[in-house]
Amino acid sequence: MGTPKIPGSLISPRARYENIYEYDASLEGDGLAIGIVMSRFNQDIGEGLLSACTAELKQLGVADRNIAIASVPGALEIPLTLQTMARSGRFDALVALGAVIRGETYHFEIVSNDSCRALMEVQLSSGVPIANGILTCEDDDQALARMQPKGADCARAAVEMARLLRALREVS
């Protein structure tokens, strides 16, 4: 099996472990292509998530021309759209944005659980990282409070995971 050749710029030595290296977390978005899918159901929340996400992507250095946005009717339509984007080979990472707010029926659990499960399936089958920004909230107030921080967090997660997977692929 042998020792992998790890490019020095991608790792940092761990002080307490001799000869053990850790990949540095990188939030450098320059040169990355990010795809975003936003649900129009609970559109005000979706737009808030999208605004925070795109602002953070730009702050991290992702160029406008490298951000693609698709909107879909609801959270259950997000995974199929992300799968199509992942299969295109055009994107380094993807972001799912939306809000599922509890109502009076069991539908909340179905949509929340199935959309999350499907995102994980797409991510694992495609090898393209997906930041899950589909909020699952008890009410509108919770969603409003979480949309800005979660949108920005998804941008950072997408960039970091894209960089990590690129670094892992560079190891021979």
Side-chain angles (χ1 to χ4, degrees):
M1 201 158 168
T3 304
K5 296 176 186 164
I6 302 173
S9 63
L10 301 176
I11 54 175
S12 61
R14 281 289 208 187
R16 58 187 172 185
Y17 300 109
E18 198 171 319
N19 297 322
I20 294 179
Y21 292 91
E22 178 178 351
Y23 288 87
D24 287 329
S26 173
L27 292 175
E28 177 54 53
D30 185 47
L32 295 179
I34 308 294
I36 302 170
V37 179
M38 180 198 77
S39 166
R40 292 187 306 271
F41 200 81
N42 296 311
Q43 189 157 2
D44 290 345
I45 305 301
E47 292 289 346
L49 286 159
L50 180 62
S51 174
C53 182
T54 55
E56 186 69 11
L57 286 172
K58 293 175 188 182
Q59 186 72 23
L60 297 173
V62 179
D64 285 350
R65 70 181 177 281
N66 290 338
I67 301 171
I69 302 166
S71 67
V72 296
L76 292 177
E77 290 76 33
I78 292 173
L80 178 60
T81 308
L82 288 169
Q83 182 180 55
T84 303
M85 293 173 101
R87 288 179 176 170
S88 77
R90 293 178 42 221
F91 301 98
D92 297 294
L94 300 168
V95 178
L97 300 175
V100 182
I101 299 173
R102 187 177 299 278
E104 296 179 10
T105 68
Y106 184 68
H107 189 66
F108 170 84
E109 282 83 2
I110 293 169
V111 174
S112 298
N113 293 335
D114 285 350
S115 62
C116 182
R117 177 196 48 77
L119 292 183
M120 187 60 67
E121 287 178 11
V122 171
Q123 178 173 237
L124 293 174
S125 68
S126 70
V128 177
I130 299 174
N132 184 354
I134 302 175
L135 299 177
T136 53
C137 301
E138 294 294 323
D139 55 42
D140 289 339
D141 290 337
Q142 278 186 356
L144 287 167
R146 293 176 60 201
M147 69 182 181
Q148 292 292 323
K150 187 62 173 179
D153 181 56
C154 284
R156 290 187 297 273
V159 168
E160 182 177 341
M161 288 303 297
R163 286 289 175 210
L164 175 60
L165 293 182
R166 262 194 191 178
L168 290 170
R169 289 181 190 119
E170 290 177 6
V171 174
S172 57

